Amino acid sequence: PGPVHPEPEPRVKVPMPDQRLYDWAFIYRVKVEALADLCLPEKWYYGTAPEPGRELAILYNYLDYTFRRLSFEKKVRFAEDTARGEEYAAFNTGLVDRKYEYIYALFTRNTRPAARQYWFLLDFVVAGEDGGKTLVSLFNPLPQRADYFENKIENMLYDASTGDLSCDYIHMLTERCFRLPLEFLEDNCPADMLCIDGVTLQEIYHRPMDEEKKAYFRELGSRIKNTPRILNRLKNRLADAVELALKRVAWNYKTAIPTYYPKNNSGSLLLPLALADEDHVDLALVVERQPSGSYQGQTILPLDIAYSNSRLVARPDSDWLQTDTIAVDPGDRDLEES
């Protein structure tokens, strides 16, 4: 008998939980480029100059996570033109044009043979203009934008008067030690702890994440956890950075940046952590408000992921989270939501 080929996955009309936008709909790059021109001017890449092919990296990520949140809220809308026998879908991107009118993504059923996505992006449109006339003729009311904070102002501002901030230091220092700055680890861990199976921290730190690098940091995390003297030293240094962040928030409430935390599908706040040098922010601390009113520090994020997640809520107005000063570390790509 000939080779057995697996059955192709069925195309999905209604998005499944946590389905990626680009697995649900086919979108030409030129359409995303047109969206970047249509919306309010914004820098959609990190650093002072974009990597080739990544000029719109932040925008692609923004659309994907916005779609996932809208899917969770059941705000992706569907309609049929029965006269023509055509199907449509639409969602509110949350972006606006220069007149501050919302921009919508409008899709039709993908008719290409063997296409893996059920939908095909017609265009990004403004209601009533050009392709937006089709949107208005099919959808009433128009699709709503994503809501990350249940429209509660207390979920978008850090209120230090409600209680203490507790942090999961063990998780951050042992399970996310690959995110800690190189200099921070070198300053606080003995050299023999950082040499694992003949591999040094300097040799592996900036490599793309692969199985060898994962194994290295799993072992390093285990060594830190099982060496109380080093664990306490790192914890004290991290706690000092958290205390400095809270002082910054008390001085300027804009220091705490609202963000969407995809792993928990919840709204959170980001605080700056300066670990290697008090004048340089290395990481973002993800903080969630608890039912009691106190706050829980859940995990640490590299600044590029922190920016992408916060951009879902609003363009960050911050003195510490800015695209120009953020460098992308390829060693963290497969753990973006953790």
Side-chain angles (χ1 to χ4, degrees):
V4 177
H5 299 287
E7 291 291 327
E9 294 185 6
R11 300 193 303 169
V12 177
K13 177 178 179 178
V14 178
M16 297 182 297
D18 207 33
Q19 185 175 20
R20 294 183 71 247
L21 170 62
Y22 310 107
D23 293 329
W24 181 77
F26 181 86
I27 300 175
Y28 279 115
R29 180 179 176 83
V30 66
K31 295 293 186 180
V32 182
E33 292 171 346
L35 173 62
D37 292 334
L38 176 62
C39 68
L40 286 178
E42 186 166 346
K43 185 166 168 283
W44 294 110
Y45 59 86
Y46 299 109
T48 55
E51 299 177 36
R54 293 186 58 82
E55 296 85 356
L56 300 175
I58 298 173
L59 181 55
Y60 271 97
N61 187 78
Y62 171 89
L63 290 170
D64 184 30
Y65 279 126
T66 297
F67 169 75
R68 295 196 214 184
R69 177 64 180 182
L70 290 167
S71 299
F72 173 79
E73 294 185 291
K74 301 189 185 307
K75 291 180 179 177
V76 179
R77 299 281 308 283
F78 304 91
E80 291 187 20
D81 184 337
T82 53
R84 295 183 173 85
E86 295 174 346
E87 294 180 77
Y88 293 89
F91 67 80
N92 188 326
T93 68
L95 300 173
V96 296
D97 68 2
R98 288 163 177 78
K99 303 185 297 298
Y100 292 89
E101 298 288 344
Y102 279 123
I103 300 172
Y104 301 85
L106 179 62
F107 304 87
T108 189
R109 182 169 182 175
N110 196 343
T111 59
R112 295 185 308 156
R116 66 184 180 89
Q117 300 101 331
Y118 190 95
W119 298 102
F120 176 89
L121 177 73
L122 284 174
D123 217 342
F124 293 102
V125 302
V126 174
E129 300 179 7
D130 300 323
K133 295 178 181 178
T134 301
L135 178 81
V136 172
S137 72
L138 293 166
F139 297 92
N140 183 23
L142 295 174
Q144 297 178 316
R145 66 169 296 179
D147 175 17
Y148 298 96
F149 291 90
E150 300 176 348
N151 292 318
K152 296 179 180 179
I153 191 65
E154 62 265 26
N155 292 339
M156 302 183 71
L157 296 174
Y158 190 96
D159 184 0
S161 68
T162 62
D164 294 331
L165 168 61
S166 301
C167 292
D168 189 351
Y169 289 112
I170 301 299
H171 163 75
M172 299 175 198
L173 294 171
T174 65
E175 297 178 31
R176 293 295 177 264
C177 57
F178 58 89
R179 288 181 172 157
L180 298 171
L182 175 67
E183 298 83 356
F184 178 77
L185 290 170
E186 289 179 328
D187 289 347
N188 294 281
C189 298
D192 59 343
M193 175 178 282
L194 299 176
C195 185
I196 299 174
D197 295 331
V199 178
T200 66
L201 178 66
Q202 294 88 342
E203 291 171 338
I204 205 164
Y205 188 84
H206 291 294
R207 279 175 41 177
M209 188 64 75
D210 56 18
E211 292 305 316
E212 183 180 359
K213 184 171 181 177
K214 290 178 182 178
Y216 176 94
F217 279 103
R218 277 196 299 268
E219 174 61 23
L220 178 58
S222 177
R223 291 185 180 190
I224 292 172
K225 188 173 184 178
N226 294 310
T227 312
R229 178 175 60 86
I230 300 303
L231 178 62
N232 288 332
R233 180 190 299 174
L234 292 168
K235 179 181 176 181
N236 290 337
R237 285 287 302 274
L238 183 52
D240 288 343
V242 171
E243 183 63 27
L244 179 60
L246 292 176
K247 291 178 180 178
R248 292 183 63 168
V249 173
W251 178 74
N252 180 3
Y253 72 93
K254 290 184 179 180
T255 300
I257 300 174
T259 187
Y260 174 57
Y261 189 29
K263 181 180 180 181
N264 291 354
N265 194 28
S266 62
S268 310
L269 293 168
L270 298 175
L271 302 185
L273 292 180
L275 295 174
D277 181 344
E278 287 189 356
D279 295 324
H280 175 74
V281 175
D282 302 295
L283 296 166
L285 174 67
V286 180
V287 173
E288 291 186 348
R289 186 184 177 100
Q290 303 301 301
S292 65
S294 61
Y295 291 90
Q296 174 69 46
Q298 299 286 20
T299 193
I300 50 178
L301 293 178
L303 298 183
D304 60 320
I305 297 175
Y307 184 94
S308 290
N309 291 355
S310 64
R311 181 58 191 85
L312 295 169
V313 180
R315 189 187 311 185
D317 178 14
S318 165
D319 62 355
W320 66 271
L321 193 60
Q322 301 173 344
T323 54
D324 287 349
T325 57
I326 293 175
V328 177
D329 183 358
D332 211 3
R333 296 312 90 199
D334 63 334
L335 294 165
E336 290 190 358
E337 295 182 14
S338 58

